Structure formats: C-alpha cells, structure tokens
Amino acid sequence: MSRLEVVSPIPGVFYRKPDPDSPDFVKPGQKVGADDTVGLVEVMKSFYPVPAGAAGTVVEFAADAEAVVDAGQPLVVLEVDA
Amino acid sequence: MKRLLIANRGEIAVRIIRAANDLGIETVAVVSEADRSAAHALLADQVVPIGPAPATKSYLVADAILAAAKETGADAVHPGYGFLSERASFAAAVADAGLTFVGPEASVIEQMGDKVRARQVAQAAGVPTVPGTPGGVSDVAEAVAAAGEIGYPIMLKAAAGGGGRGIRVVANEAELKVAFPQASGEAASAFGDGRMYLERFVRAARHVEVQVLGDGSETVHVFERECSLQRRRQKVVEEAPSPGIDERIRAGMTAAAVRLCKEVGYRSAGTCEFLVDDDTGEFFFIEMNTRIQVEHPVTELITGIDLVAEQLRIAAGEPLRYRQSDVTKRGHAVEFRVCAEDPERNFLPGPGKIGDVRLPGGPWVRTDTWLAPGSQVPPFYDSLVAKVIVWGEDRATALRRAKRALSELVVEGVPTTTTLLIELLGQQWFADGAFTTGTLEEWLTQRAEAGA
C-alpha cells in the first residue's frame, strides 16, 4: 500500500464538485479507478477534470473547495491499491 | 459625467480609461487582489480594491462595485464586456443608486438578452429570424406541414431539451418521417415531453454582425463585422467590412438592424448578430449584444468613429452626433485575438509571469493590450492578452500588414497563439475570404492530424 498525492496539472481554482448543486466528485473512504475524476481546476474560464491517476481509496482532500492552487499542488490524497 | 468607474479589467478597462481621458472625464478603476498592479489600475486616477482574485468574489460582485462608486464619488459606471455588462439587475442597481449606467436601460437589456423575446421584437420590426416552430410540434403530420413552410434541411431538437442533446438534421420529407417518431420518442422518455422544435438548418453559415449607435430616438448603423472564424464559439479573427456579403445583403442587414433598434428605442452602442446562409445569401437575426464588443476596433478603423467615446457621450445625455449619411467607411480592418494559450497543446491556457514584451507598431497598426514587461497573467480571468488590429486600403493590404505586425509581436514568459495566427494568414481560403463558422475548427483538426 502506498500513498499518492493527486496534484493539480495547472494553476487555477480547485472545485470538488462538478457544479454548485451537485455532491463532491469523491469523499474520503471512497474507492476510485485511475480514470475517475476527483475534482476540476478552472484556469482562464476553462475547466480541466483531474483524474485520480491510479486505482485506490480516497484518504482526504489536500486543498479546500474553491482554493486557489498552483501547478503541482496536492489536491487529493489516495491510498493506492496494491 | 465627471467621474467614471470602470467595472472591468484587462484590455477593455484600459480602452475605456483612455476614451474617458480623451473626453476629460476622471476615472476610477476597481481591482481584485490579483490585479493591484495591472495596467488598468496604473492608468486610472483612483483605484479601489473590491475583493479576492476569483471574479465571483470581485468583478461579479455588484454591491462591492457600487460601494466603490459611492466611496469615490463616481457619477457613472461603464461595465465593459463580459462580467456584469449584460445583467439587467446590475444596470438597474446602478440607476437606482442615482448613477449613470453606460449602456441601455435595464428593461432593454432584459428584452434583447432573452432569445425568445428578442425574436418577437425582430418579428415586430420586420426583421427575419431563422424560420422555425418556436412553439414546438407533437406529431409527424404537423412536423411535415411545418417543414414544408420552413424549407429543408431541417434541424430537429427536443422542445424540453437543453444543450446540443438529441439534435438531428433531416434533408427531406422522407427522412423527416423516419426521424421524427424516433426523436420524439426519445425526448418523451428523456424529458417526459415529446414535442420537437423544427428549425431551418444552415449548412454553410457566416456570423456577421451590425454595429449600431442609438440615443433613444435616433439610430445609425456603423456597418458590419465578419466574425465567422471561431473556435469553440469564441471568435479568433474579426474583420470589417465582411468579405462574405455583397452590397445588397449589406444594405438589407444594416437597415434591419436599425429597424430593430428603433423598435426598442435603443440607447448606447450595441450589436445585432446575424446568421448568413452562404449558399442563398439569406440573413437571419440571432441576438443582440447590448454592450461594447471585443472586436469593436475594426469598426473604428474603417469609420474613424470612437465607439467607446460615443457610448460615453450618449450616456451623458448628448444626442447622437451622426446622421446615417455622416457614417462612411474606407478600406479594410482585421483584428487578431492573441491569447495566452498553447495551440500545440490543445490551447491549454498558460498563466504566468510575463518576461519581455515588444508590441507591433508602424502605420495603421493598433495593439489594444494590458501587457507590460514583468506583468502577470492571472489564471482567474479570460486568456485574451492582446488584440492586434490593422487597417489597409483593401483586404489584401490589411492581411499583408497583419502578417508583418504579428511577426513583430514578442511576448515572453507565457505561451501565446501568435504563431498560429501567422500560420492562418498563410492559408489560401483565408486570403480568399472563403470560410464559414465551421472552417477554422476544420482547419485546426486537419492541422492536428497532420502534425500527429
């Protein structure tokens, strides 16, 4: 078992949910696949989905909802499946 | 009007401050935390911080902007484009605060901003709209009858649907008879409503828009702009006059725009957007933009009219200074939008710190920008960093000058679309003016496949 920090590919604003009225993409304890979206980063009016990158279990969010993030900044922490 | 607050940022805020200065009006800039040393903040007489970087916490907060106006004693507010510029509630709040809103009345913004109501206004003014069945039809026989009047090809879409979901194009009656029950059935199960809209499908469409100026009683048109070169519905290159319409269409379309504005007593600068069927030459009103537009400089270069200054004069209560016969055009102007995006990485936006900047110059070259060496491109707003606008005595001359001007532009530190724009200038179809609203994306797709 190892931990993986899912990082933002670009600077921008991090969103945990697809739109204001929806639930978060993921929550701690949830199983995810490598291609599952864990959040969105908005940069210059474009929205980029952030994939988990590996199959595993969500441990926690590493960035606040609607936080301003830099490229490379951790957004979500995963426990990667062995 | 003595002191103008500019409720915007970027190149348009800079543009408005300059027009106000030319008229001897003092200026107040509002800035988010990301824009404290941005060009509009440096140029304005006063600067008021209005909140954190994201626009939803600053440039979109009407109360913060009104408080800034009150605090600085501004007597007028210019909304620019985007942000709050077409929110009727903001125009109303500005007026309720006893200030002058630089734009039409809230009721007109509301009326012209709503597609269904704008379509009704157009019909009342005798302005053609895309033939269709706004009420929707529910069975095949009704659809066939309606299609006979509208004319093929026809676009079918669910009356209750949204976005582009479930849109079908049918070429003739036989296809309609097959497609209608399928589409209607799908709509009934997806939305609980099987009614379908029918609308004429224009295969080869151009986007041409007419600039207008009105003072509430008089209206003039300031000719048209061709804006067909788009990527994901964002304009990339705009020009005036349109290379895709002839004098007959131009006369009909500009007259239609004036009728439309007279119908609502339009006051300020505005733009009536039309879709032109490149095969038949028919034009249809789509919607009206009740604000200054990004591409307004091409109109300024062919007519010599400062559209932002005229907006300010009209808002200050002056009558329109031009009769239609005073508005004349000369030559050809083209605008290229330079964005901080990487065309080789699917237009990935590239915010960051700007290094060196060298802007194009020389005769008949205008660069509207907020860029300066050492400035910052924030990730929070749109990616437009500069507009390079050129004029020439004819289109070919303007395009040669554009290539020269874009080649002079240097922006270090962030990716830009400059080289792609230069490559575009080398395409024969562009030189020939032979394009429709789908052409740019088709070219980009071919280009990506060739490079892959």
Side-chain angles (χ1 to χ4, degrees):
Chain A
M1 298 281 267
S2 65
R3 288 206 165 196
L4 172 74
E5 287 184 335
V6 182
V7 302
S8 180
I10 36 174
V13 177
F14 174 57
Y15 295 95
R16 293 182 179 183
K17 46 179 87 172
D19 58 76
D21 301 326
S22 298
D24 290 352
F25 283 105
V26 293
K27 51 181 188 284
Q30 185 179 333
K31 286 267 187 194
V32 292
D35 296 332
D36 287 352
T37 298
V38 298
L40 296 176
V41 176
E42 180 189 13
V43 56
M44 294 176 155
K45 294 176 153 182
S46 293
F47 289 87
Y48 291 84
V50 181
T57 306
V58 175
V59 178
E60 60 183 1
F61 280 104
D64 289 338
E66 294 180 43
V68 175
V69 296
D70 278 323
Q73 184 174 330
L75 303 174
V76 173
V77 179
L78 291 185
E79 191 76 55
V80 179
D81 290 347
Chain B
M1 194 182 295
K2 297 219 160 31
R3 190 171 297 154
L4 176 71
L5 182 140
I6 296 96
N8 215 299
R9 64 175 305 281
E11 67 86 21
I12 195 64
V14 169
R15 167 76 185 87
I16 296 163
I17 291 168
R18 286 181 171 147
N21 284 342
D22 286 348
L23 294 173
I25 299 167
E26 288 176 33
T27 54
V28 179
V30 291
V31 295
S32 73
E33 277 166 21
D35 278 341
R36 289 210 170 141
S37 52
H40 70 291
L42 302 179
L43 275 177
D45 297 311
Q46 294 184 69
V47 181
V48 182
I50 49 163
T56 48
K57 294 169 182 168
S58 50
Y59 298 106
L60 288 169
V61 182
D63 288 345
I65 290 166
L66 288 171
K70 193 171 178 191
E71 176 192 327
T72 54
D75 54 9
V77 175
H78 195 308
Y81 55 66
F83 295 130
L84 297 167
S85 62
E86 287 183 288
R87 283 203 196 165
S89 60
F90 181 63
V94 170
D96 289 347
L99 310 175
T100 300
F101 179 75
V102 183
E105 297 79 6
S107 60
V108 173
I109 296 175
E110 208 162 2
Q111 188 175 21
M112 301 312 279
D114 179 282
K115 288 201 181 200
V116 175
R117 289 176 69 192
R119 199 178 153 103
Q120 288 164 354
V121 173
Q123 281 160 356
V127 171
T129 54
V130 180
T133 56
V137 298
S138 46
D139 66 57
V140 181
E142 226 184 315
V144 168
E149 282 185 29
I150 295 166
Y152 291 92
I154 295 266
M155 186 164 71
L156 270 179
K157 54 184 171 182
R165 230 178 122 199
I167 289 179
R168 281 182 170 78
V169 175
V170 295
N172 50 50
E173 191 175 314
E175 285 186 24
L176 178 63
K177 282 178 171 168
V178 176
F180 190 93
Q182 289 174 357
S184 179
E186 284 172 22
S189 59
F191 310 113
D193 181 352
R195 282 178 311 130
M196 303 295 291
Y197 285 143
L198 271 63
E199 194 176 282
R200 171 86 68 81
F201 178 69
V202 179
R203 284 191 197 284
R206 284 179 178 266
H207 173 126
V208 183
E209 57 189 32
V210 177
Q211 175 71 53
V212 295
L213 285 172
D215 64 6
S217 54
E218 295 302 315
T219 306
V220 295
H221 74 78
V222 196
F223 298 101
E224 84 287 354
R225 294 184 287 261
E226 162 93 47
C227 311
S228 298
L229 293 179
Q230 303 182 5
R231 178 181 170 272
R232 293 190 173 174
R233 298 184 164 270
Q234 292 291 309
K235 296 164 185 169
V236 176
V237 177
E238 304 101 333
E239 54 187 299
S242 164
I245 62 170
D246 59 23
E247 280 305 326
R248 186 187 58 84
I249 302 173
R250 176 170 296 117
M253 190 187 291
T254 52
V258 169
R259 282 203 304 280
L260 197 57
C261 293
K262 285 197 167 154
E263 183 75 23
V264 294
Y266 195 80
R267 191 165 170 273
S268 191
T271 300
C272 299
E273 288 188 359
F274 293 90
L275 182 156
V276 179
D277 187 326
D278 207 31
D279 295 325
T280 64
E282 290 169 283
F283 61 85
F284 308 109
F285 170 72
I286 301 292
E287 64 177 351
M288 181 161 190
N289 296 317
T290 55
R291 53 171 165 81
I292 195 73
Q293 289 197 256
V294 178
E295 58 272 25
H296 75 276
V298 293
T299 301
E300 297 184 325
L301 293 194
I302 64 162
T303 61
I305 294 175
D306 181 331
L307 292 169
V308 178
E310 293 311 317
Q311 267 191 312
L312 294 173
R313 286 193 164 104
I314 293 164
E318 285 184 39
L320 202 55
R321 303 191 307 144
Y322 300 93
R323 286 164 302 174
Q324 192 62 62
S325 58
D326 299 328
V327 182
T328 56
K329 64 180 164 70
R330 187 167 165 256
H332 201 95
V334 191
E335 172 179 283
F336 293 80
R337 297 193 190 190
V338 177
C339 295
E341 295 171 0
D342 188 346
E344 305 315 320
R345 293 173 69 198
N346 199 26
F347 297 87
L348 184 72
K353 192 173 170 68
I354 298 285
D356 196 12
V357 175
R358 271 168 283 156
L359 302 180
W364 298 299
V365 175
R366 165 174 164 184
T367 309
D368 280 16
T369 183
W370 50 270
L371 285 177
S375 58
Q376 195 79 29
V377 181
F380 309 104
Y381 317 110
D382 70 47
S383 60
L384 182 69
V385 294
K387 305 187 307 201
V388 174
I389 312 120
V390 299
W391 180 89
E393 58 190 4
D394 53 34
R395 190 168 183 269
T397 309
L399 294 185
R400 273 200 305 278
R401 182 164 287 137
K403 192 175 175 193
R404 188 267 290 172
L406 286 167
S407 303
E408 288 178 21
L409 176 66
V410 176
V411 178
E412 289 175 352
V414 298
T416 72
T417 52
T418 311
T419 52
L420 183 82
L421 295 170
I422 293 170
E423 199 179 319
L424 175 65
L425 276 161
Q427 305 305 307
Q428 193 59 47
W429 55 263
F430 181 46
D432 294 341
F435 48 76
T436 60
T437 50
T439 308
L440 183 69
E441 286 192 344
E442 284 161 25
W443 176 64
L444 288 170
T445 303
Q446 285 167 13
R447 189 179 167 276
E449 283 166 1

